Amino acid sequence: REAGMAKVNYLLALLVSLVGAATCTSPAMRMQLVGVSCACTLGAATCTSPAMRQGRMRPGHARVAMNLFADLFDGKLEAMTPVAKPLYAPLVLASAVVYQLQEKALFSLSGEDFRVRDASGQEVLSIAGFNVNLGVLVIDKLGMRDPSGNQFASIERRIVAASTSYDIYHDEKLLGKIERKLFSFTPEYSFYYDADANANGRAGTLTAAGSFTERRYTVKNGDGKTVARVDRAIMTGFAVADQYQVVVSAGVDAAAVIALALVIDEDHDEGND
């Protein structure tokens, strides 16, 4: 019975993707939908695990997996030389890593609290969101904490700015900033390291571009290398919170990429799509 239900699920997914490919006007989207059709057919034919055929996981969790289509069409991730003073050194690793960024909606008073887990499910970071009320102004702030709960960085929105702009503080010292490009044919967000904090910060600049409305984008460094990818996680079960898959290459300041993802999430939740 379980195997039969799995086949029905795959056939339904195959039918939807084929109909979408036949009616979609975007060549790029059509190519991806055809790819999904092939993946559904291959998965149904070769997968031997009933639980995986049905995509069954714990409620509210996302499947952590590489983005196959982005890997094929956006290029592979490339390693980069680490910056001298990263936002969080323990997450600057010698190999590529997949993280899950999950909003803690059920337990958050601000609606901006997140937890970050690695592929094994271990929590490596947490983010606490809060607002500073100045009467006529409300300033958004995010605190980044290590697994022991110690805050090591804060992401603070600028009061006066022409576009979305946040200052990044590490141990209460300015480390960098995140800005949305003001004049651009397509939206871009960049993480800039402060020159006083990082002599080689220019090469370490991280710029995100892609489909922010769909929360799917790549991140390039100052040398033009694709060093990270962010995508909405594949949802399984019942979930009411945003969940993202963050893939970073070797040498990347993963905390900086996660900070970028947080700002983009906040900016587009405010209706700036």
Side-chain angles (χ1 to χ4, degrees), residues 1 11 17 27 42 47 54 83 92 95 97 120 122 132 171 212 234 240-241 260:
R1 180 180 178 181
L11 288 173
S17 57
L42 181 63
C47 184
Q54 290 185 312
V83 295
V92 180
S95 59
V97 185
S120 69
Q122 180 178 355
V132 178
D171 293 334
F212 297 117
I234 301 172
V240 296
L260 258 177

Side-chain angles (χ1 to χ4, degrees), residues 115-144:
R115 60 169 60 92
V116 182
R117 294 189 176 97
D118 60 19
S120 69
Q122 180 178 355
E123 186 169 309
V124 295
L125 287 180
S126 62
I127 293 89
F130 53 96
N131 300 318
V132 178
N133 195 326
L134 301 179
V136 294
L137 292 174
V138 177
I139 304 174
D140 295 326
K141 295 183 68 174
L142 298 168
M144 303 188 81

Side-chain angles (χ1 to χ4, degrees), residues 17 39 59 83 102 126 145 161 179-180 196 248 250 257:
S17 57
V83 295
Q102 180 182 14
S126 62
R145 299 173 179 174
E179 290 184 343
R180 177 172 177 166
D196 293 334
V248 299
V257 175

Side-chain angles (χ1 to χ4, degrees), residues 82-95:
V83 295
K85 296 181 180 179
L87 184 57
Y88 188 56
L91 292 191
V92 180
L93 303 177
S95 59

Side-chain angles (χ1 to χ4, degrees), residues 66-86:
M66 295 297 287
N67 189 323
L68 175 62
F69 302 115
D71 286 341
L72 289 175
F73 302 116
D74 293 340
K76 297 289 185 179
L77 299 185
E78 299 181 71
M80 65 174 285
T81 302
V83 295
K85 296 181 180 179

Side-chain angles (χ1 to χ4, degrees), residues 172-234:
E172 300 183 354
K173 296 180 180 179
L174 183 65
L175 180 78
K177 63 182 179 180
I178 294 174
E179 290 184 343
R180 177 172 177 166
K181 193 172 183 179
L182 184 58
F183 300 108
S184 177
F185 182 73
T186 57
E188 288 184 358
Y189 293 81
S190 293
F191 184 112
Y192 300 98
Y193 289 94
D194 185 73
D196 293 334
N198 269 300
N200 62 338
R202 185 175 180 180
T205 297
L206 301 169
T207 299
S211 177
F212 297 117
T213 56
E214 297 179 2
R215 307 298 199 273
R216 183 178 186 180
Y217 47 92
T218 56
V219 179
K220 295 185 177 182
N221 70 350
D223 294 330
K225 295 180 178 180
T226 301
V227 298
R229 184 173 294 112
V230 180
D231 196 359
R232 280 194 189 276
I234 301 172

